[in-house]
Amino acid sequence: MRNLILIGLGVAAAAGLGGAAWWVREPAPQAVGVAAAPPLPDNLPLPPEMPRLADGADYDRCLSLLRDDPDEAMRFAQAWDATGGGDGARHCIALALLGLGEPDRAADRLERLGSSSRASSLARAAVFGQASQAWMMAGDPNRAFAAVTIALTLAPQDVELLVDRSVVLASMQRYRESIEDLDSALALEPDRAEAWVLRAAALRHLERVDQAFVAVERALVLTPDNPEALLERGILRQLRGDVTGARNDWQRAIQLAPDSMAADLAAQNIQLNELGPQRR
């Protein structure tokens, strides 16, 4: 997802093939199905440089406030909206709600904005994509799927949106459909390492471990120091009985990104292995 890509990897040592989690990048991992709303990530789904719903200094000012001061962004956007700020002000209000910890309200506003705006199809697709992200943060993958599917009707070859929907589908345990979206994304952008990692995780959930291994190896050819890919390869090595190889991959993931979710899960896997099979 734009600035919120979901990476699905999980803790294989504890759960084997069936229990690994898909998560939003910054929050703590959750079980498949997204039962509760996760904490808000540091990186809000801000609009890309192009296309955007509005232009001008007020829009730029409002968006610049979002990351560091969503309260001030909300005040600015509401005052601007009261004086005819239009789509730009309404967009900033919705994103400020996301920053203030109200993803469900933000998602609803983003959907209504995407439907009512007279902006280009690509700009409206971006807004529906943000709505999908917000629904995932609110713990509602069904509405996230609906929003990102609308986005893809507006921009059917948008690789970001295809990857977004693949992650939503995976959170719903619809792994075959998730792989279909990833295959479409990779047909358009074959060197997208993130999509290869996600494909490997989805294949693993379908117990297609050898195919998953090929996919994650492709990701590591493209990005050798990719912590998420190393975490996933470690999981796959564990499933193949290569405990030493798994541990090496997890330790490398921790070394490369010690403060990341990938490192946290790698450390959990290492600890579970040290406990032994009877404690998993």
Side-chain angles (χ1 to χ4, degrees):
M1 301 179 127
R2 288 181 176 84
N3 299 322
L4 276 177
I5 296 299
L6 305 183
I7 302 294
L9 301 166
V11 184
L17 284 168
W22 293 77
W23 71 87
V24 178
R25 175 169 285 175
E26 297 297 330
Q30 298 183 8
V32 170
V34 193
L40 288 174
D42 294 333
N43 295 324
L44 296 178
L46 301 180
E49 289 302 315
M50 290 294 290
R52 308 201 311 172
L53 284 184
D55 290 305
D58 285 338
Y59 192 52
D60 291 337
R61 168 65 175 159
C62 201
L63 296 180
S64 72
L65 289 169
L66 284 168
R67 197 177 305 280
D68 297 324
D69 195 347
D71 283 302
E72 179 60 25
M74 177 63 82
R75 287 190 288 270
F76 184 95
Q78 288 175 330
W80 181 27
D81 188 39
T83 58
D87 284 357
R90 288 189 287 274
H91 193 198
C92 197
I93 288 172
L95 293 176
L97 283 169
L98 193 60
L100 292 169
E102 300 187 59
D104 51 346
R105 290 183 62 200
D108 184 65
R109 281 179 172 265
L110 287 164
E111 284 187 341
R112 286 190 277 118
L113 181 58
S115 297
S116 65
S117 175
R118 294 185 179 180
S120 70
S121 294
L122 291 178
R124 291 171 58 221
V127 172
F128 276 108
Q130 290 172 336
S132 178
Q133 295 175 44
W135 283 125
M136 285 297 287
M137 293 165 67
D140 194 336
N142 290 307
R143 294 197 69 170
F145 175 77
V148 74
T149 298
I150 293 172
L152 280 164
T153 66
L154 296 166
Q157 292 193 309
D158 188 307
V159 173
E160 296 282 353
L161 292 172
L162 286 164
V163 172
D164 288 1
R165 190 168 69 176
S166 79
V167 175
V168 175
L169 285 163
S171 78
M172 302 164 74
Q173 302 185 52
R174 293 164 61 176
Y175 300 114
R176 288 180 177 82
E177 294 166 85
S178 176
I179 291 168
E180 289 174 4
D181 275 348
L182 290 167
D183 287 346
S184 295
L186 288 166
L188 294 165
E189 196 173 320
D191 290 341
R192 191 181 184 95
E194 162 207 345
W196 285 107
V197 179
L198 291 167
R199 192 176 193 278
L203 287 164
R204 169 168 54 81
H205 278 283
L206 295 174
E207 301 188 29
R208 292 156 60 180
V209 174
D210 289 344
Q211 293 176 50
F213 205 89
V214 171
V216 79
E217 288 280 69
R218 175 61 177 161
L220 285 164
V221 167
L222 295 167
T223 54
D225 291 334
N226 183 325
E228 289 82 11
L230 288 163
L231 172 60
E232 179 62 31
R233 189 174 68 177
I235 295 169
L236 293 166
R237 282 179 162 171
Q238 170 85 2
L239 293 172
R240 284 179 156 188
D242 181 3
V243 176
T244 299
R247 183 182 181 87
N248 289 341
D249 278 343
W250 294 332
Q251 288 177 330
R252 179 63 175 157
I254 294 167
Q255 179 185 14
L256 288 167
D259 297 324
S260 68
M261 182 59 65
D264 289 346
L265 290 174
Q268 290 177 44
N269 284 349
I270 290 170
Q271 291 170 1
L272 287 164
N273 271 0
E274 289 174 350
L275 290 173
Q278 71 277 10
R279 296 290 300 278
R280 293 176 192 166

